[in-house]
Every structure is written in C-alpha cells, then in structure tokens.
Amino acid sequence: MTIRVRFAPSPTGHLHLGGARTALFNWLYARHHSGQFLLRIEDTDRARSTEESTAGILEALQWLHMDWDEPPLIQSTRYQAHVQAAHELVEKGGAYRCYCDAQTLEQMREDQRRRGEKPRYDRRCLDRPRPAGDQPFAIRFLTPREGVVEIEDLVKGPVQVHNDELDDLIILRSDGTPTYNFSVVMDDGFMGITHVIRGDDHLNNTFRQYHIYRALGFETPRFGHLPLIKGLSKRLGSASVQAYRDKGYLWEAVLNYIARLGWAHGDDEIFSQEELIAKFDLKGVAKSPAAFDEDKMTWLNQHYLKTLPEETVAERLLPVLAQREYPGVAQDGRLLALVRALRERARTLIDMADSARFAYLPPEGYDPKATQKWIDKKTLENLAVITKNLEELEVFGPQEIESLIRQHAEEQGMNLGQVAQPIRICLTGSAVSPPLFDTMLIIGKEEVIQRLGDGIRKLAPAVEQH
RNA sequence: GGCGCGUUAGUCUAGCGGUUCAGGACGCCGGCCUCUCACGCCGGAAACACGGGUUCGAUUCCCGUACGCGCUACCA
C-alpha cells in the first residue's frame, strides 16, 4: 500500500513555523516511505479565506523545498459531495435532522450545567417526526454512546475515550453548509489518505471523526498527533515563514531547525534535506510541546552560511545586496571574495549585506569611539607613508600588501594592530571588518588609496582638538 | 467543571530498570588563538515537577498531586 499523507492548511493567513513543521513532518513521512504528499486547501470558512493566503502558503512550502505530488485539492469544490453525503447519512440512519435553534440549545446546556451534568445534546430531535412546512434544520451525526474508541496514535501511543463523552456533532449546518469535522473525514476518505499527521489540538477530534469514517464506509487512517509549539501564536505575524526568509534566514537552516523542534535522532543536530528523509521517523517525535528558540535557529543559519558552497551563498546574498542599492553589485569575483570574508562573521544574509557595504561604498562617517581610540597625530603620519608606499606597489596582491604593512609596523616599532586599525577606520569607517588584507583586496588599490587620502584629510581636524 | 494529552538544565533534546551522582546542542560565563569582529579550540555553571508504590535496584514501570496545553460550538 502506498502511503498517502496530506497537509491541510486553512488559507486565512501566513504559513507560520508551526504549520510549516506539520507540513514538513508529513512531507518527510511521505518521502521516507516513498509515499505521496498531498495538499488540501481548507477554504470552507469563506469569510476568512483568501487567494493571497493560498498563494503565500504554497510559496512558503516551495521556498522550504517541499514538493507535492498532486494538484492541491480545494475543499470548497467538494461542497456538493459533502452536502449530499450528509443527507445520505440521514437516509441510512447514521445521522438525523435537528430542528433546535441556538437559543433552545443554549437553554438545554444551561439546564444541564445547573444539574451538574456534562453539556451534551440530549437527542430530543432524534425521533421527532418531521415538522410540517420547511423549518430549517441541521444534521447531527449519530454517535454511539456505548463502548470506547481506542486509537493507536503513531506519536502518543494508545489513547482512548469513552463514547459517552462524545456528542452528536453537527455535520451540516442549518444554512446547508458542512462543518469541519465532516469535511475532513469526507476529503481524507476521498483522497485516500492513509496517515493523518497533524497537530495535537486535533487529538480529541479524532475520536469523533473515527465514527464518521466508519459510518461513511471509509477505512480509518492511522493517526499521528504532533505536540504543539509553545510561544508561536503570540507572535504569529513575525513567525511566518517568509518573515524569516526576509530576515535573512536560509531555507536549509529553517528546515533543519523546525525538523528538530519536537523531533530528534540521537544527538544529531545538523541535517540536510536528504538526511532528514533518510532518518525521519515518527517514533522520534516528542510527546511534549517545544518552545521556539530563535537563537538556535540563528546558530543553524550561521552554520549553513559558512558551510554551503560559496557560490550558493553568493547567489542568496546577491538579491539582498541589490535591495540596498549598493553600486556595482554583480555576481562576480568581488562578490565571491566578500562571501569568503563575511560568511564566518554573519548570522543572517541581512547581517552579511550590512557588513558588505565597505566593498561598494566609501565610509559615510567615522565611528567616533574608534577614532578616539586609534587615531592621533602619529598614526596620521604613518597613514600618509603607508598610502605612498601602497601607491608605489607594483603588484597589489595579498602577499605584497601584507609584507608592506608588517614591515611598516616593524620599522615603527608598533604592533600590527596599531597600524591596522587606523587603516581599517579609513577604509570602512569602523573598527570592525574582515581581516585587513582581505578588506583591502576587495576594495581594490585605487579605491584604497582614495579612502586613505580622504581619511587623513577628514580625520586631521579631530586630531588637532586633542 | 468534564474529558484528553503532557512534565529531563533558561531553551531543544538523548535516555528506552542497573558504571549515567544523567550525554549532546543553543544560549550564558571563563580562557586560548588573533590586526578588529567573528570563526575555531579548551574549560565551567546549569536538569530527571512532587508524593506514594512495584522492584534487589528507578530518570526509566504503575497510581495520585501540582502545573501546563488541548478539546468540550450550527469555528477550522
């Protein structure tokens, strides 16, 4: 039997990391078992569902490199089938019409509560003869009251509940529209879903749905309920997948991170997509909820920034650089050199793009603290000499630059830092940059000399002050 | 309230009755490396919710308590 799983988001907002994780576990389960991963857009909440959300969710899945095997099923297209099935169920005696209105229902529940009973539909309409005229009615599923439902959950293990805890839930509203619990069962059956992997919040629904599968003549799928993620709903907007993409996270890092959120494979931390497919197993899924920790995801991002092929990182960085409108940004040798210089120093692509500024633009000012610490009359004199020596350099290569600077430091009886920092400040405006010689090479000879000259000129007045 | 599920350091987790007074990772603290910042390396602080059982022996099995989450709709 081919395993068929599905991810069934409601298109009412962005795909957040919790949803992405549910999708991922389904996708991994399918890929690991050579099964099929399907999508179902649960858009039956007409008021809140939007086309944009659907597009955004699909885009987020694609960005995370999850592919699906059939065109997504749009649940609203199944409307007729759901309605018809509900009525057929009434004919077969598996469901019944309920003419109670909201007010009598509320009254009933209130009475039950007052008597200390659990609120539950009392089936007053079960045997009621069909009233004359065309009174509106809902359709209720006739849930067995005897016995227990036991489900062997793939994550939780055996879970059970007594049938008398379950209510006769409404499957078709009085306005003629099917409800969630009914539509889910109908479509999972229709799609031939063999394994339902979803959030823990549906665990209790499972017992209700179980009976519906049987009444509809479907084989019940296996279930696996994933623990929820703590601390995500509060910041739902910022936790959307594309929000992290826009914050400069690589999809490899996000995927790796959410995979580890509630799932483990021994002590392993780093997983490529292929490794995840090979090693994923629902047995490794934790039973308890996990909290989202952006620091750890950032650490993973840094890991991928410094281990992915430099061409790959360059490709990802390019559009971010372009956004900043740095002049002369291109997929060239300079970009590659930048990636090499910056990848171990950046946590995100945004960090990297910020730090890359020096390669394209001269400093727009000089960090006062750094200037205070490193620039004085003597260093300005040294800078003038170094500038002159650099100008005379025949070959502006790594060895040549380094020996020139080191030699200068030695002659002046200074350590490298005392020489390097003032140069760094002139070139970048800051006391922080990649290694000085790399920085100089990236900037290029002419521009280095230009910036040194500018620096000496602009910093001189400040030195006169003290 | 009822029902369901859960509970190892700040966080993610390993553990599947006995050299584990609990291992890895993020974060944190200290050190080394060093032209800055990082990276890297070395070291450190930090956890089995509580109470009963079962057992020769429980983090591990069972039962309670506490706490947390979920469901309890003509929401999905």
Side-chain angles (χ1 to χ4, degrees):
Chain A
M1 181 187 69
T2 303
I3 283 173
R4 284 167 69 87
V5 297
R6 64 10 178 226
F7 175 56
S10 298
T12 54
H14 288 147
L15 181 66
H16 55 93
L17 293 184
R21 191 196 58 164
T22 301
L24 176 63
F25 284 13
N26 273 285
W27 184 82
L28 288 173
Y29 194 75
R31 294 292 170 260
H32 180 85
H33 294 285
S34 304
Q36 290 165 328
F37 174 70
L38 312 178
L39 254 28
R40 182 169 72 231
I41 305 300
E42 305 213 326
D43 61 341
T44 48
D45 186 340
R46 312 298 295 178
R48 294 192 299 150
S49 298
T50 64
E51 298 265 325
E52 296 76 61
S53 292
T54 301
I57 289 165
L58 297 184
E59 180 195 84
L61 291 174
Q62 281 169 323
W63 182 70
L64 287 169
H65 288 58
M66 284 183 241
D67 55 341
W68 47 94
D69 298 306
E70 289 174 13
L73 178 70
I74 309 300
Q75 190 163 59
S76 56
T77 64
R78 297 266 304 144
Y79 176 80
Q80 284 301 337
H82 295 174
V83 171
Q84 192 183 335
H87 283 104
E88 281 171 10
L89 215 46
V90 173
E91 302 305 314
K92 285 189 287 189
Y96 58 95
R97 294 186 178 84
C98 174
Y99 295 89
C100 298
D101 60 25
Q103 198 188 337
T104 60
L105 252 21
E106 187 44 51
Q107 183 62 244
M108 177 196 75
R109 277 193 281 263
E110 201 178 304
D111 292 344
Q112 287 167 331
R113 264 192 289 270
R114 193 175 304 124
R115 275 174 293 174
E117 297 168 13
K118 71 183 91 172
R120 174 172 76 168
Y121 186 63
D122 61 8
R123 293 186 168 169
R124 62 181 67 177
C125 287
L126 179 54
D127 298 313
R128 179 191 287 190
R130 192 168 183 164
D134 52 347
Q135 271 194 58
F137 61 87
I139 293 179
R140 282 186 186 273
F141 182 73
L142 186 60
T143 305
R145 294 228 161 141
E146 304 298 316
V148 300
V149 206
E150 174 158 331
I151 284 152
E152 184 65 27
D153 191 271
L154 266 10
V155 174
K156 305 275 184 187
V159 286
Q160 55 166 240
V161 76
H162 284 86
N163 280 151
D164 67 1
E165 293 296 333
L166 274 21
D167 207 350
D168 283 352
L169 73 229
I170 288 183
I171 57 176
L172 199 74
R173 300 185 189 89
S174 53
D175 67 0
T177 60
T179 60
Y180 167 77
N181 276 301
F182 188 65
S183 296
V184 163
V185 174
M186 280 293 293
D187 289 343
D188 281 341
F190 176 70
M191 294 166 81
I193 299 302
T194 60
H195 298 252
V196 173
I197 300 167
R198 74 224 307 194
D200 216 354
D201 48 339
H202 291 288
L203 183 55
N204 286 284
N205 285 330
T206 306
F207 301 111
R208 307 174 220 290
Q209 291 168 194
Y210 176 87
H211 292 110
I212 303 180
Y213 281 106
R214 312 251 334 233
L216 254 18
F218 292 125
E219 198 171 320
T220 52
R222 304 292 312 270
F223 295 94
H225 288 93
L226 276 17
L228 268 17
I229 297 174
K230 290 181 286 189
L232 222 51
S233 51
K234 290 170 193 161
R235 301 171 292 138
L236 228 147
S238 68
S240 83
V241 169
Q242 28 266 305
Y244 286 104
R245 178 195 62 195
D246 296 344
K247 281 165 83 171
Y249 287 88
L250 302 166
W251 70 265
E252 290 89 342
V254 176
L255 198 78
N256 195 152
Y257 180 73
I258 60 180
R260 281 286 287 103
L261 206 53
W263 174 79
H265 184 269
D267 284 338
D268 300 349
E269 295 287 350
I270 306 296
F271 299 89
S272 67
Q273 193 185 38
E274 294 71 31
E275 285 166 336
L276 284 174
I277 291 171
K279 292 174 176 170
F280 184 78
D281 186 344
L282 284 177
K283 287 190 185 71
V285 176
K287 292 182 172 68
S288 52
F292 174 67
D293 178 14
E294 186 161 330
D295 281 342
K296 186 152 187 180
M297 189 165 80
T298 303
W299 170 75
L300 276 167
N301 204 54
Q302 190 168 37
H303 169 81
Y304 284 105
L305 240 21
K306 64 192 189 207
T307 53
L308 251 23
E310 59 190 44
E311 294 78 11
T312 305
V313 179
E315 276 168 32
R316 312 284 179 86
L317 180 62
L318 191 63
V320 187
L321 289 175
Q323 276 169 17
R324 321 231 137 186
E325 298 182 339
Y326 294 153
V329 169
Q331 177 96 42
D332 55 10
R334 177 165 62 170
L335 182 64
L336 249 29
L338 259 179
V339 168
R340 277 193 293 274
L342 257 19
R343 66 195 321 200
E344 290 188 346
R345 276 161 253 274
R347 293 145 69 82
T348 65
L349 290 171
I350 299 292
D351 275 357
M352 217 170 179
D354 289 341
S355 306
R357 186 184 192 282
F358 75 86
Y360 301 99
L361 290 166
E364 54 185 355
Y366 301 94
D367 177 15
K369 265 189 160 171
T371 309
Q372 172 102 20
K373 182 170 182 189
W374 295 105
I375 307 288
D376 58 23
K377 210 158 180 351
K378 176 91 190 300
T379 55
L380 286 183
E381 286 165 17
N382 282 327
L383 283 171
V385 175
I386 290 166
T387 307
K388 183 165 167 290
N389 291 344
L390 281 170
E391 275 179 297
E392 288 165 3
L393 213 51
E394 301 258 325
V395 182
F396 196 75
Q399 264 84 52
E400 290 77 2
I401 297 170
E402 177 159 358
S403 58
L404 187 154
I405 306 265
R406 283 191 187 280
Q407 201 184 326
H408 180 86
E410 209 170 311
E411 284 168 3
Q412 299 297 313
M414 303 165 90
N415 63 40
L416 232 200
Q418 289 173 291
V419 179
Q421 285 305 78
I423 300 175
R424 195 185 319 269
I425 291 165
C426 286
L427 297 181
T428 70
S430 140
V432 176
S433 89
L436 184 64
F437 311 123
D438 296 334
T439 301
M440 293 172 80
L441 277 169
I442 290 169
I443 293 172
K445 181 175 179 180
E446 260 181 68
E447 181 67 13
V448 164
I449 287 161
Q450 176 72 39
R451 290 187 195 182
L452 283 171
D454 288 351
I456 292 166
R457 197 158 7 88
K458 291 177 181 166
L459 289 167
V463 170
E464 300 300 324
Q465 302 282 314
H466 36 269

